[in-house]
Amino acid sequence: PEGSEQATLRRKSLGELPNMNTLWASLIVEECVRLGVTNFVICAGSRSTPLVVAVARHPHTQAVVNHDERSGAFYALGWAKATRRPVGIIVTSGTAVANLLPAVVEAAMSQVPLLLLTADRPA
């Protein structure tokens, strides 16, 4: 079927990824794209780097970088409202996630889907 050659190439390249974090991040982004989440707001931090790289490398994603998590979340909310499609927000761990809360509450009250992709500290 159409696209199977690309899927085979993608599977072959997944085996060549340098580590498990990169592999999982690539799989997460691929599944997001399959489910219709192709727009991402990136508020990068060192722990979220594999997700950021996966979004940057995927041929069907669009990304905007915002250095402030709170304003990035509101940007994502506006983008989701404008496109009527869910938007992913990538942040690092810790208080970065808490900064998303005001926009997430507004999104919930407006019934606008946002997908929060947050990195976590290792145990």
Side-chain angles (χ1 to χ4, degrees):
E2 187 176 325
S4 63
E5 182 179 319
Q6 186 178 19
T8 302
L9 290 174
R10 187 176 14 230
R11 270 189 240 110
K12 183 177 179 183
S13 66
L14 285 177
E16 298 169 358
L17 293 173
N19 59 50
M20 289 300 288
N21 288 342
T22 306
L23 172 65
W24 277 109
S26 297
L27 292 172
I28 289 168
V29 170
E30 177 64 29
E31 192 61 23
C32 286
V33 170
R34 287 182 192 183
L35 295 172
V37 181
T38 58
N39 298 327
F40 294 86
V41 175
I42 297 171
C43 303
S46 62
R47 289 188 176 92
S48 61
T49 299
L51 286 167
V52 172
V53 170
V55 167
R57 288 184 175 168
H58 199 286
H60 299 110
T61 59
Q62 290 185 309
V64 172
V65 176
N66 194 309
H67 299 287
D68 176 72
E69 291 86 5
R70 186 167 195 246
S71 63
F74 278 106
Y75 186 96
L77 176 60
W79 198 2
K81 284 182 174 184
T83 60
R84 297 177 189 238
R85 299 183 68 197
V87 173
I89 308 168
I90 298 174
V91 299
T92 193
S93 59
T95 58
V97 182
N99 287 316
L100 304 178
L101 185 60
V104 169
V105 169
E106 186 170 328
M109 298 305 291
S110 303
Q111 298 183 344
V112 175
L114 296 178
L115 177 64
L116 310 182
L117 299 170
T118 65
D120 197 3
R121 292 189 172 112

